Amino acid sequence: MVSVAHTPYPTSLTPSSAKKELTIQSLQNDLEIADACGSVGVVVHFGSDVSGNDPLESYQLMIEMLNTVLLEWEGECKILLENLASKQGSIGTTLEELVQIRNLSDQSEKIGFCLDTCHAFASGLWTGGNWRDLLANGTSLGYFQEVKAIHLNNSKYPSGEGKDRHANIFKAGYIKEAQIEELVSTPILMDIPFILETPSDKGVSHGEEIGMLYEKWGR
Ligand SMILES: [Zn+2]
């Protein structure tokens, strides 16, 4: 049994100065709760572009936040940075950014990644047809070695549209079954927990969907 936690939805790694202190405390509290539950990590979304014209400002704020949150953290549970669904050109969509933020943080060993497949598809990072290249690039960057969880979702919209709308895995989205199979059967991801964030009100329950995944690919 594996457990992976998630911060509350409003948590941002690029908070306003008024919310900074509260966000730091909230993240530290998330880590403590998740660690007590034996979770491998707490997933938090990549920050947003706070300046509008200088992405470096947002990256610096994220690094400062991570440094503060993790300074005295000694638990096993990691912060897991999740890639965003935004359109290309906005921040948090490339593996380079995720890896750089981790590398530039003082406690990089306490930071891992969560790959959301819908977000990767929506942002255009994963087009459905470029998994091999993405895997090669991500491995040479050191990204895939630090992936601790996968959010396995299909996408309601085509790749590159920047729309964060999750769809059920089978017969419901723009990511084809063969493309999901390619990802699910990637050796470096074999022992990584896959978590569904798919709709459960579209005629298929999570239990049924998990059953279908196990039947197809043994996961
Ligand atoms: Zn997700």
Side-chain angles (χ1 to χ4, degrees):
M1 187 71 160
V2 185
S3 144
V4 179
H6 204 304
T7 62
Y9 195 73
T11 300
S12 165
L13 285 174
T14 47
S16 64
S17 33
K19 286 199 179 148
K20 212 163 160 181
E21 198 43 51
L22 203 64
T23 306
I24 290 164
Q25 288 171 17
S26 172
L27 277 160
Q28 287 170 334
N29 190 234
D30 291 338
L31 278 169
E32 268 164 41
I33 296 169
D35 205 50
C37 295
S39 301
V40 293
V42 174
V43 176
V44 59
H45 295 151
F46 200 91
S48 48
D49 187 1
V50 285
S51 93
N53 55 23
D54 181 13
L56 281 182
E57 220 175 280
S58 308
Y59 299 149
Q60 276 158 359
L61 178 55
M62 282 184 70
I63 292 165
E64 185 197 325
M65 288 291 291
L66 289 165
N67 286 349
T68 312
V69 167
L70 295 170
L71 182 64
E72 288 175 16
W73 177 243
E74 281 172 359
E76 290 292 306
C77 182
K78 294 175 187 243
I79 288 281
L80 304 180
L81 293 175
E82 179 172 351
N83 60 304
L84 301 186
S86 329
K87 281 191 172 149
Q88 262 174 357
S90 40
I91 72 169
T93 61
T94 66
L95 302 186
E96 283 80 359
E97 288 168 282
L98 291 154
V99 169
Q100 272 297 60
I101 294 291
R102 180 179 187 273
N103 286 349
L104 293 172
S105 296
D106 292 340
Q107 292 92 14
S108 57
E109 74 287 353
K110 300 176 192 169
I111 301 171
F113 302 116
C114 170
L115 175 68
D116 187 304
T117 58
C118 170
H119 298 180
F121 190 78
S123 71
L125 172 69
W126 182 31
T127 60
N130 67 342
W131 180 250
R132 207 185 267 248
D133 291 345
L134 187 59
L135 185 64
N137 182 41
T139 307
S140 72
L141 288 168
Y143 172 81
F144 281 102
Q145 295 85 330
E146 304 301 332
V147 169
K148 305 296 172 197
I150 303 282
H151 282 171
L152 186 66
N153 302 303
N154 207 323
S155 169
K156 228 181 135 181
Y157 289 93
S159 179
E161 293 207 354
K163 289 191 178 146
D164 182 9
R165 297 291 299 278
H166 300 185
N168 291 106
I169 302 301
F170 299 104
K171 299 188 181 76
Y174 277 87
I175 312 176
K176 297 188 184 107
E177 207 174 297
Q179 295 168 337
I180 290 174
E181 177 168 346
E182 200 182 5
L183 183 145
V184 167
S185 54
T186 300
I188 199 167
L189 302 178
M190 273 305 146
D191 297 321
I192 302 300
F194 278 59
I195 297 158
L196 289 177
E197 292 180 317
T198 49
S200 54
D201 59 350
K202 299 277 188 285
V204 53
S205 71
H206 281 142
E208 287 165 336
E209 205 169 20
I210 290 167
M212 287 154 82
L213 282 162
Y214 269 112
E215 203 173 299
K216 280 238 169 239
W217 301 308
R219 296 201 61 125

